[in-house]
Amino acid sequence: VAAGALSPAAVSDEALRVLVGRAAEFTGADLAGVARAATSRALQRAGGDPVAVTVDDLERAVDEVGAQTFAVRERTARDAALCPTHEWGVVAVGGWLLFEGGVGAEAVVAFAEADIDGRALCELGKIDSGVLDRILNEELRVRSLGARLRFRHALRALLSQPLPATIAGQIEPAWARPVGRVE
């Protein structure tokens, strides 16, 4: 939003208090999105002519950006909750490979060189078995058929473990809470 392009009501103490309260969890990128969305709304309203951004423009932009941001965060939290290895680093994956994954030391080194962490391990579990077999054999040095079969079995068992319930969907973001609306 360009300097001087805000309506007087949009920069009142009350309007700013409300907007700051609703955008408390926003990142810098989120706030830049709010500025772009509010400016875009003002320009659409004015048919492209120069016009001041109003409180309504800002509030609607906070709603739009907040909904998009919360949806992305919720999806990320849900994906993390669906993967028991989501927070594992490369070393933890290596330990699992040695003790549970049914592969040898050469494969553990290859997994580490390929930067396979817990998230990547989850993604391996989603790959078609024929493609996974090729990746294991050619790129991750799991050479024997028996080792690849043991790995696939162990990975299926790992990824099918019951998971704790996530509360991500139960948290209400600050932008959605009623703080007060400036008229």
Side-chain angles (χ1 to χ4, degrees), residues 73-156:
R73 288 180 187 158
E74 186 177 53
R75 191 169 38 254
T76 301
R78 185 180 61 246
D79 290 348
L82 295 176
C83 178
T85 63
H86 182 78
E87 294 184 7
W88 288 10
V90 172
V91 173
V93 169
W96 177 82
L97 289 168
L98 281 175
F99 297 106
E100 303 288 333
V103 302
E106 181 184 9
V108 173
V109 170
F111 271 73
E113 288 172 350
D115 197 29
I116 304 293
D117 61 6
R119 291 179 190 176
L121 191 62
C122 283
E123 292 303 313
L124 282 176
K126 298 175 185 176
I127 295 175
D128 172 74
S129 62
V131 174
L132 178 60
D133 198 56
R134 185 194 60 74
I135 291 170
L136 290 171
N137 186 28
E138 297 173 12
E139 298 178 34
L140 298 174
R141 296 183 230 150
V142 182
R143 304 287 184 217
S144 76
L145 175 60
R148 290 193 302 273
L149 292 171
R150 284 189 296 278
F151 171 82
R152 287 182 8 210
H153 176 76
L155 185 59
R156 271 194 310 274

Side-chain angles (χ1 to χ4, degrees), residues 40-105:
S40 177
R41 287 179 104 14
L43 290 172
Q44 286 175 350
R45 187 180 67 252
D49 294 331
V51 66
V53 173
T54 66
V55 171
D56 188 58
D57 295 327
L58 288 167
E59 287 180 340
R60 289 175 186 249
V62 166
D63 290 343
E64 292 167 10
V65 171
Q68 293 166 1
T69 298
F70 187 67
V72 168
R73 288 180 187 158
E74 186 177 53
R75 191 169 38 254
T76 301
R78 185 180 61 246
D79 290 348
L82 295 176
C83 178
T85 63
H86 182 78
E87 294 184 7
W88 288 10
V90 172
V91 173
V93 169
W96 177 82
L97 289 168
L98 281 175
F99 297 106
E100 303 288 333
V103 302

